[in-house]
Amino acid sequence: DDVWRDIYTFNETWLKSVRKLDKKWTEYENLWRLTYRANGLFIWSSTVRDYVQKEFDCNFALDQIMERTETETNRPFATLNKLYQFVLEQAGGDVEVLRAALGVLISTARIKPLTHKALFELVPYKFSRQGLTEAAWDGILGRLQSVLYIDMNGVVRICHPSFLDFLNSKDRAGDFWTDPAQINVGIFQKCMRLMDCGLKFNICKLDSTFLPDQEVEDLQTRISTNIPESLQYSCIYWMDHLLLAKETGLIPDASARAMIRDFLCSI
C-alpha cells in the first residue's frame, strides 16, 4: 500500500509541474489510472515522466502511453515491457540500425560505460555499412533520453537496470532484441582494427621513453590527449568480447588466433 501511495504522490507532483498538460491528468481518477498502470513499479512512472516531459505534445504522448500499455496483473513486468517497447518504437528510423546501436550500448555498458563518441567508434563495420552514421547515432541517443542519459562527463548511462534486463531478453524485447553473440564478434573485430591502426611507438609523445611513468608529471593529460577513449577501451577489453564471442562458437579458435597473429605481426 505504501508503494502505491508513493507512486500516486510522485505522479501528482510531476503532472502538476508540467504547464502544457491538461488539468484532467491531475484529477483523482486519472491519477489513479496512472498509478494502477505502473503495477507497483516505480520505474514505470519515472520513465513515463522522462518521456512525456521531452515531448512537444505532452497530452498526446500521455494518451498514447495509456493506450499502448494495458496492465496485466498476472505479469508484473508486462506493462514495463510495453512501455519500453513504446519508447523504442517512437525513436523512429530503421529498426536494424536501432538494434545495432542498442547492441553496442548494452554489450559495453556491463564492462565500462563510454562516451557517445567512443561508443560510435566501436560500432562493428557491418552496422556502419547499414547506415549507422555518427549523425544517426547521436539522433538515436537524443530520442532515447527517457531510458538513457549523458552524465556530466559525457558518458552514456542507462537510467535503470530493468532496461538492460529488457534488452537482454529476447522474449521481452521482441523486435528490438539484438543477438549479443553477433555484437561481441563485431566489437572484438573492431577493437583489433582500432589497435592495429591506432597504436604506435611513443604514442604519448614523451620527451624520453626511458622515464618511468611516475616521473612523467603530465602523463594522464598526455594519455587523454593522444589515446582516444575507444582505443583505450580496445586495449583493455578486447579479450572480454573475444571470450563472449567464442562461448557461442561464432568465432572459431583458428579464426581468432589468425586475427590476433595478424595484429601482433603488424606491430
Side-chain angles (χ1 to χ4, degrees):
D1 290 343
D2 288 342
V3 172
W4 288 80
R5 282 194 294 269
D6 287 345
I7 293 175
Y8 178 93
T9 302
F10 173 81
N11 287 333
E12 183 180 33
T13 302
W14 79 262
L15 286 166
K16 286 183 177 179
S17 70
V18 182
R19 295 182 180 179
K20 295 180 289 185
L21 272 177
D22 292 338
K23 291 184 178 180
K24 70 174 185 177
W25 292 110
T26 55
E27 294 174 356
Y28 180 82
E29 181 180 350
N30 284 324
L31 279 171
W32 269 113
R33 282 180 62 214
L34 277 168
T35 301
Y36 180 73
R37 191 62 57 87
N39 212 9
L41 297 174
F42 195 94
I43 185 59
W44 190 91
S45 294
S46 176
T47 303
V48 168
R49 177 201 61 184
D50 292 343
Y51 178 81
V52 169
Q53 287 182 334
K54 292 178 175 65
E55 288 297 292
F56 177 76
D57 189 338
C58 297
N59 293 290
F60 179 75
L62 207 43
D63 279 327
Q64 287 290 297
I65 288 172
M66 295 301 289
E67 180 181 328
R68 299 281 297 279
T69 60
E70 300 85 357
T71 305
E72 297 182 35
T73 54
N74 60 327
R75 298 174 61 206
F77 287 100
T79 308
L80 186 61
N81 293 344
K82 291 176 181 177
L83 178 60
Y84 284 150
Q85 288 170 351
F86 172 79
V87 169
L88 293 176
E89 287 170 4
Q90 300 311 303
D94 188 284
V95 175
E96 289 291 334
V97 171
L98 178 57
R99 272 206 298 260
L102 292 170
V104 172
L105 182 65
I106 63 177
S107 294
T108 56
R110 294 188 183 277
I111 299 174
K112 181 185 178 183
L114 299 167
T115 63
H116 70 99
K117 180 176 178 60
L119 285 167
F120 176 73
E121 290 172 352
L122 287 166
V123 172
Y125 291 110
K126 169 185 176 181
F127 300 115
S128 298
R129 292 194 294 268
Q130 290 179 353
L132 185 51
T133 62
E134 188 167 4
W137 174 261
D138 289 341
I140 289 171
L141 295 182
R143 293 191 296 272
L144 294 179
Q145 289 188 32
S146 57
V147 289
L148 309 174
Y149 71 97
I150 299 177
D151 68 17
M152 60 185 298
N153 297 314
V155 174
V156 180
R157 297 187 181 275
I158 293 171
C159 291
H160 196 268
S162 62
F163 187 59
L164 264 183
D165 294 338
F166 166 81
L167 291 174
N168 278 317
S169 170
K170 188 173 184 179
D171 291 337
R172 295 178 64 186
D175 291 340
F176 296 103
W177 180 78
T178 302
D179 187 348
Q182 295 282 357
I183 289 292
N184 280 299
V185 168
I187 294 178
F188 160 69
Q189 294 169 338
K190 193 64 176 287
C191 286
M192 299 302 291
R193 179 62 175 168
L194 287 170
M195 291 191 293
D196 188 33
C197 296
L199 293 177
K200 59 184 178 181
F201 179 73
N202 196 15
I203 192 171
C204 288
K205 303 175 182 177
L206 302 177
D207 297 329
S208 171
T209 58
F210 294 99
L211 287 176
D213 288 353
Q214 60 268 26
E215 293 184 19
V216 182
E217 294 182 359
D218 58 346
L219 181 59
Q220 289 306 314
T221 300
R222 288 176 179 269
I223 290 174
S224 59
T225 301
N226 296 290
I227 308 179
E229 185 183 8
S230 57
L231 179 55
Q232 294 183 42
Y233 180 93
S234 298
C235 292
I236 300 171
Y237 300 112
W238 65 269
M239 178 64 76
D240 294 76
H241 294 287
L242 170 62
L243 293 176
L244 289 169
K246 283 183 66 177
E247 286 177 3
T248 64
L250 288 180
I251 289 190
D253 287 344
S255 175
R257 284 198 299 269
M259 292 188 68
I260 297 170
R261 183 177 62 249
D262 291 344
F263 164 70
L264 293 175
C265 289
S266 69
I267 57 175

